[in-house]
Amino acid sequence: MLEPSTPVQYVKGIGPRLAEVLRAKDIATVDDLLHYLPFRYEDRLNPRSVAELRAGEMATVIAEVRNSGLFRTRRMPIFQLTVGQGRTKLKCLWFNAAYLQGRFQPGQMLALYGKVEEDRDGQLQIMQPQFEILGDININEEGGADEVEKKAAASLEIGRIVPIYESTGQGKLTPRWFRRIIRGALENLNPNLPDPIPAAVRAHLSLVSPREALWKVHWPDAGESFADLQSSRTAAHTRMIFDELFFIELGLELKRREQKAHTGIAFRLDGGVREAIKKILPFHPTAAQKRVLKEIATDMQTPCPMRRLLQGDVGSGKTIVAFQAAIIAIENGYQVALMAPTEILAQQHYFSARQILERAGYRIVLLTGSLEQDRKRDARRHIAQGNAQLVIGTHALIQDRVEFEKLGLVVVDEQHRFGVMQRLKLMKKTDDRGAMGVSPVKPDGDARCSTAPERDPEPDVLVMTATPIPRTLALTLYGDLDVSVLDELPPGRTPVVTRSLPDERASEVWDFVRKQIAAGHQAYVVYPVIEENEERELKAAEQMHRQLREKIFPNLHVGLLHGRLDADEKEHVMREFQQGKIEILVATTVIEVGVDVPNATVMVIEHADRFGLAQLHQLRGRIGRGAAKSYCVLMRGGKVSEEGERRLDAMARSNDGFQIAELDLELRGPGEFFGTKQAGIPSFRVANIIRDRQLLEAAKREAAFVISGPNSEISKEEIDRALREMRSRWAQSYGLVEVG
Ligand code: ADP
Ligand code: MG
């Protein structure tokens, strides 16, 4: 009897050597094997006879091998096979397929799948069909049709809907091999395994049992809709997808509850504080900004530590909201840390903070890695003594073990530069650090936040991101955070006009830039820096800078900004650009996040096809920030890939970050989009979080329901079993942080 955890080598037909081959496919246990799902199915219930085939259709046909051979054309060897039934014939061709020589014996039965075509003589043929040698079954055998039917019923190969698995191990493990092995594993699987999903949840969604799901996903009933099967929409698929999503959501839900169980700070929000928040505003906040501030302020007033994600497209005005939240903490006598992913962005925030907050009397310090030792030491002293009320820096702030006197709020800006995993680590780091005043997790899912005096309260955390992830996905992926959305741009913005042009038209572009500058505006010229050959690309940016300064714009001030400059140089260049002394700023993607110079109305992006969509959108977000009309020119040199063209096209058509993100998701797939590799988002075996959004929402809802139990619908035993299953999956499969 097999258990899900049994190593595959003990499955009949596998053994230690093949187990090794399977391990390369991440198939280590019986459970893994049973989750190796068919990537498509073939309808061999009623395979066509050759006579029934029509040109233009995809079809499965079962026929007998007549003859085969290799013939050479001038360009390549072609393998030709003729199969038939009675007097009908079908030709199959494979290009460059000398390896097929000797594979087929006359009289063998074959299943073939592919697109039926007519050759020049009107003969039916299939080019490069997928095939499977069925071997011993012979339709033409003595005994006629009855005998064939009996054999077919016993066969896994014909007379049914057949699962097609991807072969592996250099083709040694064929679809046919998987069919036999997986079927055997299913037959020997312990039939009495309890379902880890509680009965009430199963009932809410009419889920089939795991056993039924496994059987039917591999061996669908004849009655199953073929279209549903191919698109993974059968009841069996649904159960398996939900299963996968549910246990992730259960873990996230539990984490969120645990966060809430910590002791936080209950900030006061009286008339004086309200007055202070209003006083700093240089403009009328948008309705969205007001709503989001209210959500944040409400969190801050409760004794639970805030864990909130603020999502807002570039330019939606997140910074001022963060400053207002900072004032709440500062007015309550606490310190605030504002962390940015790059030095330039930290400096940018420092400038605005000085304009907006220092003027109102708040004390602000900048602390970044490349500050001079003296300045760093001073900054640290001010922070430790509590003189500094707002500390702005890069993430070195946390890594360098900075001592705060009384930290009340941490704001993490432009989260999209970090994966989810990094964020978790960041918070964990906060956890480990006594200096951040954080106590260890209390493993009690049901606890309320308290103001227990014996514990140091934890600071509130506000994470800000410009990645416009669809809301339901955000809720799910950042499942342990609450989410606020700034879904409105400040008034008076005119959408940026975007054009994509070939390099040959550069001189027109430079003329245009000249005109804009003559009209009193400023421009960016952006150069890609791709990490692997940063050195070379940097040289290109430097060269570009020289050329623009000396040859193209000899009468204008052209500045250069890139990541390798030291902090003072960066600060200097940024200040000059901000003050209009630099008219054209040549930059690498260091300006991608946060930089805010409303007078800049043109951005020329060189080699735009090399950038990802999200990055282009971020870059473009640097312009269109003032009242004047802004222009983004996407330059492309040489040959651009088809996908590159689609990206440029999407940018020219849309200014909406949400739309662009959706398209980006489509083009790159969720793994790349979310940066799964660094981010540690679990890679799913069955689920696809885009296709299965609705199940994802259901999983989240049901996870919350389970954790709120026990009650009349759900017993303590069921909850415990689900939690046990969740913990073992989180530990084994997702490699995510441990949960309570
Ligand atoms: P992001 O959300 O991309 O960080 P910022 O906070 O940098 O956006 O804001 C973008 C620009 O919009 C800044 O110049 C900011 O001063 C301005 N801004 C923000 N909110 C408003 C508002 N309500 N009315 C007018 N301008 C605003
Ligand atoms: Mg910003």
Side-chain angles (χ1 to χ4, degrees):
M1 185 103 59
L2 297 172
E3 300 295 329
S5 60
T6 309
V8 276
Q9 84 170 80
Y10 301 113
V11 174
K12 209 172 110 213
I14 297 187
R17 249 201 26 239
L18 288 177
E20 205 52 52
V21 179
L22 286 172
R23 204 177 319 273
K25 273 262 178 189
D26 283 331
I27 300 173
T29 63
V30 166
D31 192 54
D32 295 336
L33 181 68
L34 296 179
H35 280 82
Y36 192 71
L37 300 192
F39 70 98
R40 66 179 180 85
Y41 300 85
E42 265 181 33
D43 186 354
R44 295 190 194 160
L45 265 174
N46 304 298
R48 302 299 175 77
S49 64
V50 175
E52 289 166 335
L53 292 178
R54 296 285 165 267
E57 66 180 353
M58 297 293 294
T60 302
V61 59
I62 295 186
E64 183 193 20
V65 173
R66 290 284 158 77
N67 55 58
S68 64
L70 192 71
F71 64 92
R72 296 181 186 275
T73 66
R74 232 178 320 147
R75 293 175 52 205
M76 66 179 92
I78 296 179
F79 187 81
Q80 179 174 328
L81 169 77
T82 307
V83 297
Q85 283 158 349
R87 248 177 294 162
T88 56
K89 266 196 308 198
L90 173 70
K91 193 166 70 180
C92 301
L93 297 170
W94 287 268
F95 303 117
N96 272 325
Y99 62 90
L100 286 176
Q101 265 181 304
R103 283 285 287 281
F104 304 101
Q105 315 304 328
Q108 252 175 354
M109 293 308 289
L110 286 187
L112 295 147
Y113 174 79
K115 183 161 186 197
V116 183
E117 296 171 347
E118 251 170 40
D119 72 2
R120 259 179 277 160
D121 307 326
Q123 238 242 285
L124 289 182
Q125 65 177 20
I126 303 184
M127 308 277 226
Q128 325 253 59
Q130 299 192 24
F131 69 91
E132 203 170 303
I133 298 170
L134 305 178
D136 46 359
I137 305 160
N138 193 337
I139 293 186
N140 299 327
E141 221 170 67
E142 284 291 303
D146 280 358
E147 188 59 24
V148 172
E149 235 164 65
K150 234 195 284 162
K151 283 212 169 176
S155 158
L156 298 181
E157 315 302 339
I158 56 173
R160 51 170 86 237
I161 294 176
V162 176
I164 309 292
Y165 302 92
E166 203 175 299
S167 28
T168 184
Q170 281 91 49
K172 254 196 297 189
L173 309 186
T174 60
R176 212 171 169 209
W177 182 86
F178 274 110
R179 234 171 269 150
R180 246 186 28 244
I181 294 296
I182 291 178
R183 178 127 185 151
L186 280 168
E187 279 162 359
N188 291 312
L189 187 65
N190 178 357
N192 298 317
L193 292 173
D195 189 344
I197 294 187
V201 174
R202 240 170 28 224
H204 292 168
L205 290 141
S206 317
L207 297 177
V208 301
S209 73
R211 194 180 169 76
E212 183 177 346
L214 282 171
W215 264 103
K216 294 224 171 126
V217 85
H218 291 286
W219 294 102
D221 286 345
E224 206 71 77
S225 142
F226 205 65
D228 283 354
L229 269 171
Q230 300 291 33
S231 58
S232 303
R233 289 197 200 285
T234 62
H237 282 105
T238 300
R239 158 74 209 213
M240 296 191 76
I241 294 163
F242 181 83
D243 204 275
E244 199 162 29
L245 299 173
F246 173 74
F247 288 105
I248 288 172
E249 290 301 329
L250 198 59
L252 290 173
E253 184 66 26
L254 198 69
K255 279 174 70 65
R256 188 170 25 201
R257 302 245 163 170
E258 281 168 8
Q259 294 283 14
K260 294 243 158 91
H262 288 203
T263 309
I265 306 158
F267 294 100
R268 267 180 312 106
L269 192 61
D270 56 24
V273 180
R274 281 176 204 278
E275 194 50 41
I277 296 174
K278 279 215 188 99
K279 226 170 53 193
I280 61 144
L281 280 176
F283 35 64
H284 288 292
T286 62
Q289 282 170 322
K290 281 192 209 161
R291 187 191 69 236
V292 166
L293 179 64
K294 205 162 161 193
E295 288 166 359
I296 293 170
T298 306
D299 277 4
M300 291 182 74
Q301 285 171 274
T302 68
C304 307
M306 171 168 75
R307 295 289 179 267
R308 186 167 282 277
L309 176 73
L310 170 53
Q311 241 193 303
D313 204 352
V314 270
S316 59
K318 295 183 288 292
T319 315
I320 196 77
V321 175
F323 285 172
Q324 291 182 302
I327 291 176
I328 299 177
I330 295 172
E331 289 290 333
N332 277 268
Y334 285 87
Q335 291 172 293
V336 178
L338 169 55
M339 298 191 294
T342 64
E343 292 223 356
I344 290 181
L345 186 51
Q347 264 151 18
Q348 171 84 41
H349 280 318
Y350 182 56
F351 286 136
S352 352
R354 285 176 67 176
Q355 276 172 23
I356 294 174
L357 297 175
E358 207 164 68
R359 194 177 289 165
Y362 298 104
R363 296 183 302 273
I364 303 162
V365 303
L366 177 69
L367 180 58
T368 59
S370 62
L371 282 182
E372 277 169 28
Q373 284 307 324
D374 288 2
R375 247 182 104 183
K376 258 195 218 166
R377 202 171 321 120
D378 282 354
R380 284 164 185 283
R381 205 185 54 242
H382 286 304
I383 298 168
Q385 294 173 349
N387 294 334
Q389 292 173 307
L390 173 61
V391 182
I392 298 177
T394 49
H395 292 98
L397 259 186
I398 276 190
Q399 275 129 27
D400 290 359
R401 314 209 142 232
V402 178
E403 297 279 338
F404 283 82
E405 204 236 352
K406 200 179 178 194
L407 184 63
L409 172 69
V410 177
V411 182
V412 184
D413 192 17
E414 302 296 352
Q415 181 66 35
H416 80 281
R417 295 290 298 249
F418 313 103
V420 178
M421 206 46 200
Q422 265 169 303
R423 173 176 58 76
L424 292 172
K425 269 198 200 124
L426 215 69
M427 287 192 180
K428 194 139 190 315
K429 208 132 203 165
T430 340
D431 284 352
D432 297 341
R433 304 222 336 89
M436 288 286 196
V438 171
S439 45
V441 175
K442 193 169 122 217
D444 176 359
D446 206 33
R448 302 279 126 72
C449 18
S450 62
T451 39
E454 73 273 13
R455 288 211 226 143
D456 269 347
E458 282 184 32
D460 281 353
V461 177
L462 178 66
V463 175
M464 304 200 290
T465 174
T467 308
I469 312 168
R471 191 184 163 86
T472 54
L473 285 187
L475 280 169
T476 309
L477 291 171
Y478 299 93
D480 54 341
L481 301 183
D482 296 305
V483 178
S484 291
V485 184
L486 274 182
D487 49 8
E488 181 185 359
L489 293 181
R493 301 272 170 87
T494 38
V496 176
V497 176
T498 303
R499 296 275 308 268
S500 150
L501 294 176
D503 280 350
E504 291 80 64
R505 296 183 59 183
S507 65
E508 286 170 59
V509 175
W510 302 136
D511 281 344
F512 179 73
V513 170
R514 244 176 243 118
K515 272 192 211 131
Q516 286 284 308
I517 289 169
H521 300 304
Q522 290 164 278
Y524 295 99
V525 178
V526 183
Y527 229 86
V529 169
I530 296 160
E531 259 167 51
E532 302 95 71
N533 44 29
E534 197 171 335
E535 214 54 70
R536 218 174 60 213
E537 301 280 344
L538 214 52
K539 255 203 212 116
E542 276 165 352
Q543 235 165 37
M544 188 76 198
H545 171 238
R546 200 170 321 120
Q547 202 199 341
L548 288 175
R549 199 186 53 194
E550 291 168 5
K551 304 247 164 68
I552 298 173
F553 303 113
N555 304 319
L556 297 177
H557 298 99
V558 184
L560 175 64
L561 185 66
H562 58 72
R564 294 284 181 83
L565 297 177
D566 68 35
D568 282 348
E569 288 171 311
K570 277 183 207 155
E571 196 175 327
H572 181 73
V573 174
M574 275 312 298
R575 185 159 342 108
E576 299 230 300
F577 191 57
Q578 213 130 32
Q579 294 169 346
K581 287 183 193 154
I582 290 176
E583 289 149 322
I584 299 175
L585 184 61
V586 178
T588 59
T589 45
V590 289
I591 59 155
E592 180 188 339
V593 284
V595 172
D596 182 30
V597 178
N599 190 44
T601 56
V602 191
M603 175 173 286
V604 180
I605 304 178
E606 297 276 346
H607 301 292
D609 54 290
R610 291 200 214 162
F611 294 94
L613 261 179
Q615 206 175 12
L616 286 173
H617 181 66
Q618 287 293 323
L619 283 168
R620 182 172 58 179
R622 302 307 115 216
I623 55 174
R625 300 188 147 234
K629 199 167 179 115
S630 291
Y631 304 87
C632 177
V633 186
L634 307 171
M635 305 296 293
R636 52 189 148 82
K639 218 166 139 28
V640 176
S641 70
E642 192 184 322
E643 201 199 302
E645 287 288 357
R646 284 184 67 186
R647 283 196 301 262
L648 297 180
D649 192 47
M651 285 296 294
R653 262 182 307 146
S654 177
N655 268 293
D656 179 342
F658 183 85
Q659 261 181 25
I660 289 176
E662 296 253 295
L663 188 73
D664 204 12
L665 257 171
E666 211 176 279
L667 287 177
R668 289 197 291 165
E672 290 285 308
F673 179 86
F674 293 111
T676 313
K677 281 176 203 107
Q678 325 92 316
I681 293 174
S683 51
F684 299 100
R685 295 196 286 194
V686 195
N688 169 333
I689 49 175
I690 308 307
R691 180 193 64 199
D692 303 323
R693 267 183 226 193
Q694 280 178 336
L695 279 176
L696 192 60
E697 268 176 81
K700 184 177 166 57
R701 202 174 53 233
E702 295 298 332
F705 161 76
V706 168
I707 288 190
S708 70
N711 54 39
S712 59
E713 275 194 275
I714 185 167
S715 72
K716 176 136 193 336
E717 291 68 49
E718 284 180 303
I719 295 174
D720 287 346
R721 194 188 311 134
L723 289 177
R724 260 201 315 278
E725 178 76 13
M726 179 272 291
R727 289 201 178 93
S728 96
R729 291 200 196 186
W730 275 60
Q732 280 166 24
S733 320
Y734 310 142
L736 287 172
V737 284
E738 67 290 347
V739 271

